[in-house]
Amino acid sequence: MPDALTSPRPVTRRVRAARPAPPQRDHLDLGDPPGTPGTPGTPDAVAVTGRYLERAGRPWFPVTGEVHYSRIPRQRWSEVLGHTKAGGLDTVATYVFWQAHEPTPGDFRWDGDLDLRAFVELAGRHGLDVVVRMGPWGHGEARYGGFPDWLVERSLRTGMRTRTNDPAYLELVRAFYARTIAQLAGLTHAEGGPVVGAQMDNELYDQPEHLATLRRTAEELGLRVPLWTATGWGGAQVPATLLPLYSAYADGFWEDTDTEWPAFSPVHFRYSTVRDDLSVGADLREALDGVVVEPGAVPLKDDDALPYATCELGGGMHVAYHRRPLVTPDDVAALALAKLGSGSVWQGYYMYAGGTQRVGPHGTEQESHATGYPNDVPTRTYDFGAPVGEHGQVRRHHHLLRRQHLWLQEDGAALAAMTTTVGGGSEDPSELRWAVRSDGHRGYAFLTTYQPARRPLDSQPGVQLEVGLDDATVVVPTRPVDLPAGVSMAWPLRFPLADGLVLRSATAQVLTRIDRAEDAGRDLLVLVATDGVPVELVVDGLGEGTASGPVEARAEDGATVLDLTGTPGPDTVVGLRGPSGGVDVLVLDEETANRLYRLDVAGRERLVLSDAPVHALDGELVVHTEHPTASLSLLPAPGSLAVTSGSDGDETAVVPGSGGAGWRSWTLIAPGAGRHRVATDLAPHSPAPPEPARGGPMDRLSAPTEFTGAARVPLEVPADALAGVDRALLRVAWTGDVGRALVAGEVVSDHYWHGRDWDVDLTPWRDDVARDGLTLELLPWRHDTGVWVDPSVRDVPDGITVATVDVVRVARVVLSAGEERPWS
């Protein structure tokens, strides 16, 4: 290990990770009910213990992403679900917004983008299970929380108490539930379908009897699912018949403009067994119910009788007019890994894929001051800065999270059964933050020096952990190492490699494993190195065996210590051959790991390295690229790749190349993809806007509704910039306050500037835009308005600047694989 990276003053942290007691069982009214398919003891049965979920008799670690079918054009569902599955998720959750499905009393709609049944069936085709968030109230930044206008008006007129056991309300809920459940007939887990769970209401804190009534009502109407859930944050009173799920966000648009960083947010970047967060939804409780929850007023939950499960780990963050957070991909990934180190056994993201607010009978269906809510949010966009954007844009955190999810696919069953020991939980930025999850025999050591840029943590010199397990002590690394600032990792402890071979420890993270018995006779384990941290592999059981590849070997404490001497990358393979078995270890760098997928291609699981977003469907690869060329490499390599269909027709091609370490590479040529510059360096003028108004129950800044004084920027887009590709996005790099995009007089997109580019999907309006162009209406930025934006983007001038306007042309190409290529 290079001396330059070793601290002269190491401090060894000693941890005792004892074997956990067996979890409680049969104490929860959850899991597959007796007497139905899926009963415990039958294939694929779901059960819930006091510590984790089980499936088919072994621990199950679900990874769930929120995807709102009603906010995504139906023709894009398959693409979004494909990216979700390729991201390593196994479940999607989705709101059923009452206002969308019953816009007028008794008039139920399940057509088009509202076809819940078709969405669930398609999710199943992609290999995804579904959790249906049934409401009746959902929030999701929807108008009246998803309640139809007529329901709100009836409540005001008659005194009917919504979200309670008021008989008049329950009668209406029963009708809505009955129609929803009818859409799911034949699609539940017990019937062999993908629906594994249902959430009752959302962010309901003080009505446990009502939540219990909602489940009973759904069951009376015929719904049978193993998982019944409710949101548990904010000190919510959740009945014993529902599993409480928790949240964690890096920031929140719902905070006030004088909040530089929400009080609870730093907690989520530390390891902690505390599950609750009092800040999420606190603005609505104060605004609608007059309840102010002060820190410390509600005991935070750490309940050993229930598994630590989440449904709203922030996949990004929405913006409101008054407060516009800028959560980064690294924030999202670090928070998610911190929850794994803290004991989570169900990772659920909100949102995983963004969408667009609907337009209903009463106009746009977003939360607003006008409807009595505390925040004005954009009228159209619900992008949320999610891993998959509003228009299918695949972002960096899709790749960062996929690395964690591939690991959970490989070893999540073992991790779920491991309990957590936490250290370094203070706010001191100079303190090492660590946790160990272990079953007493093996485990993982979690370490982090990451916190968002506004309050970064220090680097950590001389890091070494001494972890006491039931029958051994593992020291990792064998020589202390310096950790740079801004990194998070989970190092394996006593990870099984092959017969007789065990990875006692490693300073690299488990990514995935591929079975290559039919190719090379040995599995391939994939690890990923952390930038700035030297890779050390400590192997037990190698004995008189051999280690090959770019490593230096030394014997220490009865094990073989291998220091990586080469540079991590797709060709860096360490071969381990023990007396009874062997394994190859591929050590990737982080950049390459961010390009790695594990997909079912031509009937088998393969590793896919791709420059462009890719997913699999029915054994074929589906690539979405905004560049004219993209490289793909596969392992195990098929004999060929061929274009099945492409946006560019006959001009799309795939050209074979070379490859090493078992990879084979191809270059995808999609000449129609790319960018078309529409405008650059614009400085449109708008008169100073009127003094900002305030509104809503918390007297916050209100979004402007008058655009007569806005700068108008007409844009002409040639037809050939829009044609011949799967999707055409207008990407606007600008600064200002609020922008709207109009096509044929209709507002098709809006944007509260907060530091990110603004994307507008022109695909549905190609003909209109090619004929008449489109218009941007832009209001100027003014610092003294008092809008909160992230410190990293605050230093912008008053007024409006438009740096560039491009059409981003996204091609879709489907590739099929040919016969297997022999391993070499």
Side-chain angles (χ1 to χ4, degrees):
M1 187 173 294
D3 293 339
L5 290 177
T6 305
S7 168
R9 296 184 301 278
V11 177
T12 301
R13 282 78 174 176
R14 291 176 171 81
V15 187
R16 181 62 187 168
R19 183 179 298 274
Q24 293 187 54
R25 295 180 178 275
D26 303 323
H27 63 298
L28 301 172
D29 187 16
L30 298 168
D32 282 311
T36 64
T39 297
T42 63
D44 204 34
V46 173
V48 183
T49 77
R51 287 214 316 272
Y52 50 82
L53 282 66
E54 289 184 334
R55 194 158 187 171
R58 66 193 300 260
W60 171 37
F61 202 126
V63 181
T64 304
E66 190 87 11
V67 179
H68 294 161
Y69 63 96
S70 62
R71 288 171 163 170
I72 300 171
R74 183 172 181 155
Q75 62 269 26
R76 294 287 178 206
W77 286 352
S78 185
E79 173 188 342
V80 170
L81 292 170
H83 288 314
T84 302
K85 179 66 174 179
L89 288 80
D90 65 358
T91 319
V92 292
T94 192
Y95 276 132
V96 182
F97 288 117
W98 192 350
Q99 64 189 194
H101 292 289
E102 193 181 6
T104 57
D107 176 23
F108 287 93
R109 293 189 52 200
W110 303 96
D111 59 319
D113 300 345
L114 302 178
D115 193 338
L116 172 62
R117 183 176 187 83
F119 177 80
V120 171
E121 290 174 334
L122 188 57
R125 181 183 171 194
H126 280 276
L128 293 163
D129 287 326
V130 179
V131 175
V132 182
R133 303 180 85 178
M134 295 176 58
W137 190 87
H139 198 202
E141 289 65 67
R143 179 182 174 95
Y144 295 127
F147 277 168
D149 279 55
W150 61 262
L151 178 72
V152 175
E153 292 163 1
R154 184 176 301 185
S155 173
L156 293 172
R157 186 177 70 253
T158 66
M160 178 183 67
R161 291 172 296 128
T162 60
R163 307 182 74 191
T164 71
N165 282 343
D166 184 320
Y169 174 65
L170 289 179
E171 181 181 0
L172 298 172
V173 170
R174 190 176 186 88
F176 171 53
Y177 268 20
R179 296 298 187 101
T180 301
I181 292 167
Q183 296 297 309
L184 305 176
L187 298 178
T188 65
H189 178 69
E191 299 167 298
V195 179
V196 294
Q199 178 183 303
M200 303 291 94
D201 208 87
N202 191 72
E203 297 177 336
L204 187 58
Y205 303 97
D206 59 355
Q207 295 289 328
E209 297 85 0
H210 177 57
L211 290 173
T213 297
L214 292 177
R215 173 178 170 172
R216 285 196 303 273
T217 300
E219 288 181 310
E220 289 168 3
L221 293 167
L223 186 62
R224 297 288 185 271
V225 292
L227 302 175
W228 295 90
T229 72
T231 53
W233 55 82
Q237 301 171 43
V238 177
T241 54
L242 301 177
L243 177 66
L245 305 184
Y246 292 94
S247 64
Y249 288 94
D251 206 332
F253 70 83
W254 50 79
E255 297 285 340
D256 288 324
T257 53
D258 59 359
T259 301
E260 194 58 36
W261 199 24
F264 268 83
S265 293
V267 176
H268 299 312
F269 292 92
R270 303 197 290 269
Y271 304 114
S272 170
T273 56
V274 172
R275 307 175 185 186
D276 208 347
D277 184 331
L278 302 184
S279 65
V280 180
D283 60 331
L284 278 179
R285 295 182 76 178
E286 181 178 350
L288 303 183
D289 302 325
V291 176
V292 179
V293 181
E294 299 291 348
V298 176
L300 301 182
K301 296 178 181 177
D302 179 7
D303 191 343
D304 289 335
L306 295 169
Y308 182 2
T310 69
C311 66
E312 290 199 15
L313 302 180
M317 180 47 58
H318 201 31
V319 296
Y321 181 74
H322 73 285
R323 196 171 193 278
R324 310 176 189 180
L326 186 61
V327 171
T328 70
D330 292 294
D331 295 343
V332 172
L335 185 151
L337 193 60
K339 293 305 167 185
L340 291 175
S342 298
S344 169
V345 297
W346 183 351
Q347 297 284 89
Y349 299 97
Y350 190 98
M351 298 286 298
Y352 194 79
T356 304
Q357 294 277 14
R358 293 178 44 77
V359 177
H362 302 275
T364 53
E365 294 186 341
Q366 83 287 355
E367 171 184 329
S368 68
H369 291 170
T371 55
Y373 278 63
N375 309 298
D376 265 349
V377 299
T379 63
R380 300 306 314 274
T381 183
Y382 197 65
D383 179 85
F384 216 87
V388 179
E390 176 182 10
H391 308 304
Q393 313 97 304
V394 173
R395 298 183 171 125
R396 185 168 176 265
H397 37 325
H398 172 73
H399 308 304
L400 296 176
L401 292 174
R402 186 174 63 249
R403 288 162 47 181
Q404 299 178 25
H405 303 158
L406 291 178
W407 164 43
L408 293 176
Q409 285 181 1
E410 173 59 33
D411 208 30
L415 187 70
M418 297 176 182
T419 53
T420 298
T421 303
V422 171
S426 76
E427 297 184 16
D428 183 354
S430 66
E431 182 181 25
L432 176 66
R433 297 176 176 182
W434 60 266
V436 172
R437 285 188 74 163
S438 170
D439 61 8
H441 175 72
R442 54 175 294 230
Y444 288 90
F446 293 79
L447 303 103
T448 185
T449 61
Y450 187 91
Q451 205 162 256
R454 73 191 77 173
R455 203 179 296 175
L457 300 180
D458 299 338
S459 60
Q460 289 291 329
V463 171
Q464 187 178 57
L465 293 179
E466 182 180 294
V467 182
L469 301 169
D470 279 358
D471 55 351
T473 296
V474 177
V475 178
V476 57
T478 60
R479 298 173 181 174
V481 64
D482 294 351
L483 297 184
V487 297
S488 295
M489 63 212 71
W491 289 342
L493 307 174
R494 302 180 85 183
F495 182 86
L497 293 175
D499 288 344
L501 288 180
V502 173
L503 187 62
R504 181 189 292 187
S505 67
T507 57
Q509 301 179 78
V510 175
L511 192 55
T512 190
R513 188 198 305 246
I514 286 287
D515 179 358
R516 299 184 310 170
E518 62 187 86
D519 304 295
R522 301 175 303 277
D523 281 0
L524 180 70
L525 174 67
V526 185
L527 304 179
V528 56
T530 300
D531 292 345
V533 178
V535 175
E536 173 192 89
L537 311 178
V538 183
V539 182
D540 285 321
L542 199 57
E544 299 299 320
T546 61
S548 60
V551 291
E552 290 182 353
R554 53 188 165 89
E556 187 167 321
D557 192 26
T560 303
V561 181
L562 305 172
D563 294 320
L564 190 71
T565 58
T567 301
D571 299 326
T572 303
V573 178
V574 178
L576 302 175
R577 308 292 180 267
S580 303
V583 65
D584 290 332
V585 181
L586 172 62
V587 184
L588 296 179
D589 60 288
E590 294 198 80
E591 181 180 355
T592 302
N594 291 342
R595 298 170 49 232
L596 185 76
Y597 297 77
R598 178 175 175 160
L599 301 173
D600 187 346
V601 181
R604 68 177 299 180
E605 292 284 316
R606 304 177 195 268
L607 301 181
V608 179
L609 283 173
S610 178
D611 290 343
V614 60
H615 67 269
L617 181 62
D618 299 334
E620 296 183 312
L621 287 173
V622 182
V623 184
H624 290 86
T625 178
E626 57 184 66
H627 301 286
T629 61
S631 68
L632 293 99
S633 301
L634 276 70
L635 189 158
S640 63
L641 279 183
V643 175
T644 301
S645 64
S647 309
D648 296 319
D650 294 339
E651 297 182 14
T652 304
V654 60
V655 179
S658 59
W663 296 97
R664 189 177 183 190
S665 299
W666 288 264
T667 298
L668 175 65
I669 300 173
R675 294 197 180 197
H676 176 91
R677 180 58 48 87
V678 175
T680 186
D681 294 329
L682 303 178
H685 175 71
S686 172
E691 287 298 315
R694 290 184 173 270
M698 300 185 74
D699 196 37
R700 289 174 170 169
L701 289 168
S702 297
T705 57
E706 179 55 61
F707 282 77
T708 55
R712 294 177 58 83
V713 181
L715 298 172
E716 295 184 2
V717 182
D720 60 4
L722 302 170
V725 287
D726 182 64
R727 184 165 62 252
L729 303 179
L730 189 77
R731 182 159 296 163
V732 185
W734 77 300
T735 65
D737 185 22
V738 176
R740 307 194 308 184
L742 289 84
V743 175
E746 178 184 351
V747 177
V748 299
S749 178
D750 61 344
H751 191 254
Y752 294 174
W753 175 80
H754 58 287
R756 287 194 184 93
D757 289 349
W758 172 19
D759 283 356
V760 182
D761 189 3
L762 300 181
T763 313
W765 295 277
R766 281 194 241 233
D767 293 342
D768 291 328
V769 172
R771 183 181 62 248
D772 302 321
L774 75 156
T775 300
L776 304 182
E777 294 184 341
L778 308 176
L779 294 175
W781 179 254
R782 194 172 71 182
H783 281 85
D784 60 9
T785 298
V787 167
W788 188 97
V789 292
D790 191 85
S792 65
V793 298
R794 283 180 190 164
D795 189 21
V796 297
D798 284 359
I800 303 167
T801 64
V802 181
T804 57
V805 181
D806 294 319
V807 173
V808 179
R809 295 168 50 81
V810 183
R812 178 181 185 271
V813 182
V814 180
L815 302 172
S816 60
E819 296 181 358
E820 295 300 303
R821 175 175 178 257
W823 172 259
S824 60

